[in-house]
Amino acid sequence: MSLDQSPDQTTELTMDKAQPRLLDAMSQGLLGTRLSRPEGALKVTGRAAYAAEHLPDNLATGVLVRATITKGKVSHIDSDGAKAMKGVLAVFNGDPLVRNPAQGQAGEAPAQVLPEVHYFGQPIALVVASTFEQARAAAQSMTVTYEEEDAEVEPATASTVDKPKKSQSDTGDLEGALRDAATAIDVTYATAPHTSAAMEPHASVAEWKDGRLTLHGSYQMLKHNLAELADALDMSEDNVRILAPYVGGGFGSKLGIAPEAVAAAHAARELKRPVRVVMGRDQVFQMTLRRSETTQRIRLGCDASGRMTALAHEDRVSNLPGEAFSEPVAQGTHFLYGGENRRFTHEVARIHRPGTGSVRAPGEAVGMIALECAMDELAEATGIDPIELRVMNMRETTPADGLPYSERGLERCLREGAARFGWDGRRPAAQRLDGDWWIGMGVASAVRTNQMEESVARVTLQSDGTALVETDMTDIGTGSYAILTQIAGEMLGLPAKKVRVRIGDSDLPKSSGSGGSFGAQSCGSAVFLACKGLREWIADKLDVSPADLTLRDGVATGGNVQMSLADFAGLPQTSEGHVKPGDTADDFAIAGYGAHFAEVGVHADTGEVRVRRMLGIFSIGRVLNRLTAESQCHGAMIWGIGSALTEELMHDPRDGRIVNHNLAEYHVPVHLDVPQLDAILLEDTRDDQANPIQAKGIGELGISGAAASIGNAVFNACGVRVRDFPMTPDKIIAGLPDRP
Amino acid sequence: MDVTLSINGTDHRLDLDPRVTVLDALRHHLGLTGTKKGCDHGQCGACTVLLNGRRVNSCLTLAVMHDGDEITTIESLGSPDALNPLQDAFVRNDGFQCGYCTPGQIMSATAMLQEAEDGWPSYISRSLETDPDLTDEEIAERMSGNLCRCSAYPRIRQAIAEVRDARGMAAE
Ligand code: FES
Ligand code: FES
């Protein structure tokens, strides 16, 4: 069935109020189980084809050329030599090449600024040749002359600093409250810029046929990518199709259409043959969006009992001029703890380092480092146990707006996590030496805002009694194939092998896509609604009410009738589900919660930090697949280890360029950095305000606060408080205590 | 240049630009895209294949240097309908997320188990004389050349440990 054919039925829902927990009344017993990934066998045998692995006949290869200045203008590209090289087909510079990837959900082309250059490493041309080796050699041989301009690259000293109005607030009398507080702290934290570094580099294979473009791409949000690509190429999105059935990781870096896709599509159009463009790893570092560096000043004040009266979180981040995104550092701080006198300021330095954008858990991933380490400092200063201090400062309603919280498992996670981790074995700072290692424990809260996005999905009950689920959703490693199989199977009473999921095709109904931890719940809700419609259709055929219908193992039972799904007249029946966010998103503070516990060793001579144990416990409403959800927690916690200890993009202070643009010098955690982890998802939680399936996101919650628990453990181990992340040994060694 | 590579037991005669790596010979010239490119610089392990039985980063070596050599890729292990024990353990333990590093992890683990069985010590082995105990930490050390940004590390090692146990190899 094609896009414009209307479905047999449609079920719509705007999430204006809590919905019945229909999934709990189902009987297949598939949802929430540890179903292994339906596409797993293809991935472990190398048969799942990622973007660059489509090899149409006559495929040419393009390699992007980068700017070697920070700011100015390309005055001349001497491409004659390159064009004379064997195999070279063309050199493209100027329109429509884009400066950097689109921001998530932009839905329009990213900046097209050539011949201007705005950062070191910006794509300025594409060389296309018959083979990769030829294109690469030609790209390296180009002589480019520039008119260079001065550029600012330091966030701290930038002369243009924006203060977005909606991100500033001042409530009560902060200074007065801090003055009157029994205990107050005033600390400034810094976090390094990060990069997503998905293992699959950004890649596109573009093919044109009869005026229509098909792009095999590595992208997270196809409906937006479609609009962005069409806009960049100045064409109608009706004539673009993007295919992304397998995506080798995204973490935000593949939210928006990127330079390689626009370049490949343009070159293929001009050359009338398919073109593949894959970013080299160094290019992925340089021309995709990074996470901004941050500086964060936190001030906290509490009374003698530990109750907070003052809280301020003031930060500075950076981005290129004109980019709408800025790392929402204090996003979690707004509603996590009380303190009636509050101040938030948010500054965006406009500089010419490579652009910044969403990287796994934008906001909380770094904001929670400062907040949760500062909470530990307050606990230390007051002598109150860090868990008690946190629980004591949870409020009944949100401090800023007085909104009720929806499901909030924070206290339960802190207490259950403490019991499981053996928190009562924690000692005061710098008291446990085990051989050459100071040992310590740390805790931090986890919080990540939760949102559902508009989504459509189509489910067809086929003539053979199986189901086909179709949406333009993507699976970037998150488990979409598995959880959509499970939701449909649960609702329709089908085992997993009788459900087929087709995703990653922009011709299919438009979902939220993958991003912001909203994919599973948004797209899952649309599949749920489509299946709810099918249940009503089946009930109608059996002449019973949907509540009296039981679907299990492919058999419908209602009234006194039992009938195999394959035997229903009128199949195939096609049902669409369409969900939209509504009033609950405004009436409640909806977020995922959890707690991180870490035990580290700090080497008594070198200051090296090793994570010995780590436990994360989370409350996310309904768990759709325990196996894949735990894997998301593992991944996120390990990102926490990386941001705590090793990950740091380094910018040359002279020109802002990324110096360590490779995996040998930008240190993502490796096997030996990571012990076996405990990831626990609370059972039997439901968030009725979140969406009709009562589920919340997990892929980002697991990183939020993780690095702080390690920072706090480092302090507890050796008494050194590091306020500059990552906590490399050079920041620890000078403060190490003498051995007893 | 003419070169004959024996890939998964079949000889392939190729006329290649001398700049073509083993990895790109597989991916671009033979359509064997199961072997992945993550960095092209020997820094991630996604391109791991067996070269005459030993694991190598196939992006770091040129195809024309390997006339007559035997190359084993992920395509030669199990098939989707008949996974080999390691592949099956990866699926059941969820030893991957996006799956992009996975063929490299599996090829690397295949060779690593053999190395341990053959008594090769690692940097962290306690003794150079006795057979190494393939503890979780030993597996981690021996697999640290294979990056996984999804960070499926704990479960990759659980999958490998399952196969270690099935092969009766020492763990403690
Ligand atoms: S692609 Fe060969 S090591 Fe990364
Ligand atoms: S599974 Fe995605 S990089 Fe390893």
Side-chain angles (χ1 to χ4, degrees), chain A residues 617-644:
Chain A
I617 177 167
F618 308 101
S619 171
I620 55 163
R622 186 189 304 277
V623 176
L624 304 174
N625 179 321
R626 205 155 275 279
L627 184 70
T628 56
E630 286 171 0
S631 290
Q632 285 291 296
C633 300
H634 286 169
M637 289 160 69
I638 294 167
W639 276 57
I641 294 175
S643 58

PDB file of all heavy atoms in Angstrom, chain A residues 617-644:
ATOM      1  N   ILE A 617      19.768   2.657  38.772  1.00  0.00           N
ATOM      2  CA  ILE A 617      18.410   2.152  39.002  1.00  0.00           C
ATOM      3  C   ILE A 617      17.435   3.235  38.550  1.00  0.00           C
ATOM      4  O   ILE A 617      17.612   4.405  38.883  1.00  0.00           O
ATOM      5  CB  ILE A 617      18.230   1.712  40.484  1.00  0.00           C
ATOM      6  CG1 ILE A 617      16.795   1.247  40.741  1.00  0.00           C
ATOM      7  CG2 ILE A 617      18.673   2.778  41.467  1.00  0.00           C
ATOM      8  CD1 ILE A 617      16.646   0.506  42.068  1.00  0.00           C
ATOM      9  N   PHE A 618      16.459   2.840  37.753  1.00  0.00           N
ATOM     10  CA  PHE A 618      15.651   3.826  37.047  1.00  0.00           C
ATOM     11  C   PHE A 618      14.164   3.518  37.119  1.00  0.00           C
ATOM     12  O   PHE A 618      13.748   2.364  37.192  1.00  0.00           O
ATOM     13  CB  PHE A 618      16.077   3.884  35.572  1.00  0.00           C
ATOM     14  CG  PHE A 618      17.549   4.084  35.415  1.00  0.00           C
ATOM     15  CD1 PHE A 618      18.394   3.021  35.116  1.00  0.00           C
ATOM     16  CD2 PHE A 618      18.121   5.337  35.610  1.00  0.00           C
ATOM     17  CE1 PHE A 618      19.757   3.193  34.999  1.00  0.00           C
ATOM     18  CE2 PHE A 618      19.496   5.523  35.496  1.00  0.00           C
ATOM     19  CZ  PHE A 618      20.311   4.445  35.190  1.00  0.00           C
ATOM     20  N   SER A 619      13.408   4.593  37.056  1.00  0.00           N
ATOM     21  CA  SER A 619      11.959   4.499  37.095  1.00  0.00           C
ATOM     22  C   SER A 619      11.431   5.198  35.853  1.00  0.00           C
ATOM     23  O   SER A 619      11.515   6.420  35.732  1.00  0.00           O
ATOM     24  CB  SER A 619      11.477   5.205  38.375  1.00  0.00           C
ATOM     25  OG  SER A 619      10.093   5.324  38.355  1.00  0.00           O
ATOM     26  N   ILE A 620      10.945   4.426  34.903  1.00  0.00           N
ATOM     27  CA  ILE A 620      10.601   4.986  33.599  1.00  0.00           C
ATOM     28  C   ILE A 620       9.198   4.602  33.159  1.00  0.00           C
ATOM     29  O   ILE A 620       8.894   4.552  31.970  1.00  0.00           O
ATOM     30  CB  ILE A 620      11.597   4.524  32.513  1.00  0.00           C
ATOM     31  CG1 ILE A 620      11.698   2.996  32.457  1.00  0.00           C
ATOM     32  CG2 ILE A 620      12.959   5.144  32.756  1.00  0.00           C
ATOM     33  CD1 ILE A 620      12.323   2.466  31.183  1.00  0.00           C
ATOM     34  N   GLY A 621       8.313   4.319  34.136  1.00  0.00           N
ATOM     35  CA  GLY A 621       6.997   3.856  33.720  1.00  0.00           C
ATOM     36  C   GLY A 621       7.107   2.444  33.172  1.00  0.00           C
ATOM     37  O   GLY A 621       7.993   1.677  33.550  1.00  0.00           O
ATOM     38  N   ARG A 622       6.227   2.132  32.238  1.00  0.00           N
ATOM     39  CA  ARG A 622       6.190   0.771  31.696  1.00  0.00           C
ATOM     40  C   ARG A 622       7.483   0.464  30.934  1.00  0.00           C
ATOM     41  O   ARG A 622       7.926   1.271  30.116  1.00  0.00           O
ATOM     42  CB  ARG A 622       4.993   0.622  30.748  1.00  0.00           C
ATOM     43  CG  ARG A 622       4.771  -0.790  30.250  1.00  0.00           C
ATOM     44  CD  ARG A 622       3.711  -0.845  29.156  1.00  0.00           C
ATOM     45  NE  ARG A 622       2.430  -0.271  29.554  1.00  0.00           N
ATOM     46  CZ  ARG A 622       1.498  -0.910  30.240  1.00  0.00           C
ATOM     47  NH1 ARG A 622       1.691  -2.152  30.603  1.00  0.00           N
ATOM     48  NH2 ARG A 622       0.360  -0.310  30.551  1.00  0.00           N
ATOM     49  N   VAL A 623       8.037  -0.704  31.217  1.00  0.00           N
ATOM     50  CA  VAL A 623       9.224  -1.150  30.479  1.00  0.00           C
ATOM     51  C   VAL A 623       8.746  -1.993  29.296  1.00  0.00           C
ATOM     52  O   VAL A 623       8.013  -2.965  29.465  1.00  0.00           O
ATOM     53  CB  VAL A 623      10.154  -1.984  31.391  1.00  0.00           C
ATOM     54  CG1 VAL A 623      11.339  -2.520  30.602  1.00  0.00           C
ATOM     55  CG2 VAL A 623      10.629  -1.130  32.562  1.00  0.00           C
ATOM     56  N   LEU A 624       9.144  -1.603  28.091  1.00  0.00           N
ATOM     57  CA  LEU A 624       8.618  -2.267  26.893  1.00  0.00           C
ATOM     58  C   LEU A 624       9.392  -3.542  26.565  1.00  0.00           C
ATOM     59  O   LEU A 624       8.829  -4.511  26.067  1.00  0.00           O
ATOM     60  CB  LEU A 624       8.663  -1.296  25.705  1.00  0.00           C
ATOM     61  CG  LEU A 624       7.917   0.025  25.947  1.00  0.00           C
ATOM     62  CD1 LEU A 624       8.133   0.988  24.780  1.00  0.00           C
ATOM     63  CD2 LEU A 624       6.423  -0.209  26.168  1.00  0.00           C
ATOM     64  N   ASN A 625      10.687  -3.526  26.830  1.00  0.00           N
ATOM     65  CA  ASN A 625      11.522  -4.712  26.630  1.00  0.00           C
ATOM     66  C   ASN A 625      12.662  -4.605  27.625  1.00  0.00           C
ATOM     67  O   ASN A 625      13.508  -3.720  27.538  1.00  0.00           O
ATOM     68  CB  ASN A 625      12.070  -4.753  25.193  1.00  0.00           C
ATOM     69  CG  ASN A 625      12.969  -5.970  24.946  1.00  0.00           C
ATOM     70  OD1 ASN A 625      13.745  -6.368  25.809  1.00  0.00           O
ATOM     71  ND2 ASN A 625      12.863  -6.546  23.765  1.00  0.00           N
ATOM     72  N   ARG A 626      12.651  -5.480  28.591  1.00  0.00           N
ATOM     73  CA  ARG A 626      13.618  -5.370  29.684  1.00  0.00           C
ATOM     74  C   ARG A 626      15.059  -5.538  29.192  1.00  0.00           C
ATOM     75  O   ARG A 626      15.967  -4.864  29.653  1.00  0.00           O
ATOM     76  CB  ARG A 626      13.275  -6.430  30.740  1.00  0.00           C
ATOM     77  CG  ARG A 626      13.736  -6.120  32.127  1.00  0.00           C
ATOM     78  CD  ARG A 626      12.894  -6.823  33.161  1.00  0.00           C
ATOM     79  NE  ARG A 626      11.706  -6.053  33.460  1.00  0.00           N
ATOM     80  CZ  ARG A 626      11.678  -5.015  34.296  1.00  0.00           C
ATOM     81  NH1 ARG A 626      12.763  -4.639  34.933  1.00  0.00           N
ATOM     82  NH2 ARG A 626      10.564  -4.351  34.510  1.00  0.00           N
ATOM     83  N   LEU A 627      15.244  -6.420  28.216  1.00  0.00           N
ATOM     84  CA  LEU A 627      16.598  -6.681  27.716  1.00  0.00           C
ATOM     85  C   LEU A 627      17.179  -5.443  27.023  1.00  0.00           C
ATOM     86  O   LEU A 627      18.269  -4.972  27.357  1.00  0.00           O
ATOM     87  CB  LEU A 627      16.558  -7.859  26.739  1.00  0.00           C
ATOM     88  CG  LEU A 627      17.885  -8.361  26.182  1.00  0.00           C
ATOM     89  CD1 LEU A 627      18.701  -9.041  27.267  1.00  0.00           C
ATOM     90  CD2 LEU A 627      17.651  -9.331  25.013  1.00  0.00           C
ATOM     91  N   THR A 628      16.443  -4.913  26.065  1.00  0.00           N
ATOM     92  CA  THR A 628      16.988  -3.780  25.314  1.00  0.00           C
ATOM     93  C   THR A 628      17.010  -2.515  26.174  1.00  0.00           C
ATOM     94  O   THR A 628      17.890  -1.668  26.012  1.00  0.00           O
ATOM     95  CB  THR A 628      16.193  -3.528  24.017  1.00  0.00           C
ATOM     96  OG1 THR A 628      14.811  -3.346  24.337  1.00  0.00           O
ATOM     97  CG2 THR A 628      16.343  -4.696  23.057  1.00  0.00           C
ATOM     98  N   ALA A 629      16.061  -2.396  27.093  1.00  0.00           N
ATOM     99  CA  ALA A 629      16.061  -1.220  27.977  1.00  0.00           C
ATOM    100  C   ALA A 629      17.291  -1.244  28.879  1.00  0.00           C
ATOM    101  O   ALA A 629      17.946  -0.215  29.090  1.00  0.00           O
ATOM    102  CB  ALA A 629      14.785  -1.168  28.807  1.00  0.00           C
ATOM    103  N   GLU A 630      17.631  -2.416  29.406  1.00  0.00           N
ATOM    104  CA  GLU A 630      18.846  -2.508  30.233  1.00  0.00           C
ATOM    105  C   GLU A 630      20.079  -2.175  29.404  1.00  0.00           C
ATOM    106  O   GLU A 630      21.016  -1.530  29.890  1.00  0.00           O
ATOM    107  CB  GLU A 630      18.990  -3.923  30.815  1.00  0.00           C
ATOM    108  CG  GLU A 630      18.017  -4.223  31.931  1.00  0.00           C
ATOM    109  CD  GLU A 630      18.033  -5.700  32.321  1.00  0.00           C
ATOM    110  OE1 GLU A 630      18.800  -6.484  31.723  1.00  0.00           O
ATOM    111  OE2 GLU A 630      17.247  -6.059  33.212  1.00  0.00           O
ATOM    112  N   SER A 631      20.081  -2.613  28.152  1.00  0.00           N
ATOM    113  CA  SER A 631      21.236  -2.302  27.296  1.00  0.00           C
ATOM    114  C   SER A 631      21.363  -0.798  27.097  1.00  0.00           C
ATOM    115  O   SER A 631      22.479  -0.259  27.047  1.00  0.00           O
ATOM    116  CB  SER A 631      21.105  -2.996  25.935  1.00  0.00           C
ATOM    117  OG  SER A 631      21.278  -4.391  26.082  1.00  0.00           O
ATOM    118  N   GLN A 632      20.220  -0.119  26.964  1.00  0.00           N
ATOM    119  CA  GLN A 632      20.266   1.345  26.861  1.00  0.00           C
ATOM    120  C   GLN A 632      20.870   1.950  28.124  1.00  0.00           C
ATOM    121  O   GLN A 632      21.640   2.902  28.064  1.00  0.00           O
ATOM    122  CB  GLN A 632      18.853   1.899  26.645  1.00  0.00           C
ATOM    123  CG  GLN A 632      18.320   1.683  25.245  1.00  0.00           C
ATOM    124  CD  GLN A 632      19.057   2.508  24.227  1.00  0.00           C
ATOM    125  OE1 GLN A 632      19.027   3.728  24.256  1.00  0.00           O
ATOM    126  NE2 GLN A 632      19.753   1.847  23.336  1.00  0.00           N
ATOM    127  N   CYS A 633      20.502   1.388  29.281  1.00  0.00           N
ATOM    128  CA  CYS A 633      21.060   1.888  30.548  1.00  0.00           C
ATOM    129  C   CYS A 633      22.568   1.674  30.580  1.00  0.00           C
ATOM    130  O   CYS A 633      23.328   2.573  30.959  1.00  0.00           O
ATOM    131  CB  CYS A 633      20.454   1.159  31.749  1.00  0.00           C
ATOM    132  SG  CYS A 633      18.690   1.327  31.895  1.00  0.00           S
ATOM    133  N   HIS A 634      23.001   0.482  30.197  1.00  0.00           N
ATOM    134  CA  HIS A 634      24.446   0.212  30.176  1.00  0.00           C
ATOM    135  C   HIS A 634      25.164   1.259  29.326  1.00  0.00           C
ATOM    136  O   HIS A 634      26.145   1.860  29.743  1.00  0.00           O
ATOM    137  CB  HIS A 634      24.731  -1.168  29.565  1.00  0.00           C
ATOM    138  CG  HIS A 634      24.393  -2.308  30.472  1.00  0.00           C
ATOM    139  ND1 HIS A 634      24.365  -3.602  30.040  1.00  0.00           N
ATOM    140  CD2 HIS A 634      24.067  -2.350  31.776  1.00  0.00           C
ATOM    141  CE1 HIS A 634      24.054  -4.395  31.050  1.00  0.00           C
ATOM    142  NE2 HIS A 634      23.850  -3.660  32.108  1.00  0.00           N
ATOM    143  N   GLY A 635      24.646   1.428  28.102  1.00  0.00           N
ATOM    144  CA  GLY A 635      25.295   2.358  27.176  1.00  0.00           C
ATOM    145  C   GLY A 635      25.379   3.743  27.774  1.00  0.00           C
ATOM    146  O   GLY A 635      26.427   4.401  27.722  1.00  0.00           O
ATOM    147  N   ALA A 636      24.288   4.186  28.352  1.00  0.00           N
ATOM    148  CA  ALA A 636      24.251   5.542  28.900  1.00  0.00           C
ATOM    149  C   ALA A 636      25.190   5.676  30.095  1.00  0.00           C
ATOM    150  O   ALA A 636      25.905   6.673  30.243  1.00  0.00           O
ATOM    151  CB  ALA A 636      22.823   5.897  29.299  1.00  0.00           C
ATOM    152  N   MET A 637      25.221   4.683  30.956  1.00  0.00           N
ATOM    153  CA  MET A 637      26.107   4.745  32.128  1.00  0.00           C
ATOM    154  C   MET A 637      27.564   4.778  31.683  1.00  0.00           C
ATOM    155  O   MET A 637      28.405   5.468  32.273  1.00  0.00           O
ATOM    156  CB  MET A 637      25.837   3.546  33.054  1.00  0.00           C
ATOM    157  CG  MET A 637      24.491   3.636  33.773  1.00  0.00           C
ATOM    158  SD  MET A 637      23.885   2.032  34.396  1.00  0.00           S
ATOM    159  CE  MET A 637      25.054   1.701  35.716  1.00  0.00           C
ATOM    160  N   ILE A 638      27.862   4.042  30.610  1.00  0.00           N
ATOM    161  CA  ILE A 638      29.241   4.028  30.109  1.00  0.00           C
ATOM    162  C   ILE A 638      29.588   5.378  29.473  1.00  0.00           C
ATOM    163  O   ILE A 638      30.720   5.857  29.597  1.00  0.00           O
ATOM    164  CB  ILE A 638      29.436   2.836  29.149  1.00  0.00           C
ATOM    165  CG1 ILE A 638      29.307   1.525  29.942  1.00  0.00           C
ATOM    166  CG2 ILE A 638      30.783   2.907  28.435  1.00  0.00           C
ATOM    167  CD1 ILE A 638      29.158   0.273  29.100  1.00  0.00           C
ATOM    168  N   TRP A 639      28.613   6.007  28.856  1.00  0.00           N
ATOM    169  CA  TRP A 639      28.850   7.389  28.399  1.00  0.00           C
ATOM    170  C   TRP A 639      29.159   8.276  29.600  1.00  0.00           C
ATOM    171  O   TRP A 639      29.949   9.207  29.522  1.00  0.00           O
ATOM    172  CB  TRP A 639      27.620   7.928  27.647  1.00  0.00           C
ATOM    173  CG  TRP A 639      27.578   7.555  26.205  1.00  0.00           C
ATOM    174  CD1 TRP A 639      27.608   6.291  25.680  1.00  0.00           C
ATOM    175  CD2 TRP A 639      27.489   8.459  25.094  1.00  0.00           C
ATOM    176  NE1 TRP A 639      27.536   6.377  24.310  1.00  0.00           N
ATOM    177  CE2 TRP A 639      27.461   7.675  23.932  1.00  0.00           C
ATOM    178  CE3 TRP A 639      27.424   9.844  24.989  1.00  0.00           C
ATOM    179  CZ2 TRP A 639      27.381   8.239  22.656  1.00  0.00           C
ATOM    180  CZ3 TRP A 639      27.331  10.408  23.722  1.00  0.00           C
ATOM    181  CH2 TRP A 639      27.312   9.605  22.567  1.00  0.00           C
ATOM    182  N   GLY A 640      28.517   7.968  30.719  1.00  0.00           N
ATOM    183  CA  GLY A 640      28.814   8.704  31.956  1.00  0.00           C
ATOM    184  C   GLY A 640      30.257   8.492  32.372  1.00  0.00           C
ATOM    185  O   GLY A 640      30.951   9.433  32.780  1.00  0.00           O
ATOM    186  N   ILE A 641      30.739   7.262  32.255  1.00  0.00           N
ATOM    187  CA  ILE A 641      32.142   6.973  32.583  1.00  0.00           C
ATOM    188  C   ILE A 641      33.054   7.785  31.658  1.00  0.00           C
ATOM    189  O   ILE A 641      34.039   8.391  32.096  1.00  0.00           O
ATOM    190  CB  ILE A 641      32.434   5.451  32.453  1.00  0.00           C
ATOM    191  CG1 ILE A 641      31.640   4.658  33.506  1.00  0.00           C
ATOM    192  CG2 ILE A 641      33.926   5.181  32.595  1.00  0.00           C
ATOM    193  CD1 ILE A 641      31.760   3.135  33.378  1.00  0.00           C
ATOM    194  N   GLY A 642      32.699   7.818  30.387  1.00  0.00           N
ATOM    195  CA  GLY A 642      33.513   8.573  29.425  1.00  0.00           C
ATOM    196  C   GLY A 642      33.564  10.049  29.763  1.00  0.00           C
ATOM    197  O   GLY A 642      34.646  10.663  29.794  1.00  0.00           O
ATOM    198  N   SER A 643      32.405  10.644  30.039  1.00  0.00           N
ATOM    199  CA  SER A 643      32.416  12.088  30.300  1.00  0.00           C
ATOM    200  C   SER A 643      33.045  12.391  31.656  1.00  0.00           C
ATOM    201  O   SER A 643      33.569  13.477  31.881  1.00  0.00           O
ATOM    202  CB  SER A 643      31.007  12.696  30.175  1.00  0.00           C
ATOM    203  OG  SER A 643      30.121  12.075  31.060  1.00  0.00           O
ATOM    204  N   ALA A 644      33.027  11.435  32.558  1.00  0.00           N
ATOM    205  CA  ALA A 644      33.670  11.642  33.857  1.00  0.00           C
ATOM    206  C   ALA A 644      35.187  11.583  33.752  1.00  0.00           C
ATOM    207  O   ALA A 644      35.885  12.352  34.399  1.00  0.00           O
ATOM    208  CB  ALA A 644      33.184  10.591  34.862  1.00  0.00           C
TER     209      ALA A 644
END
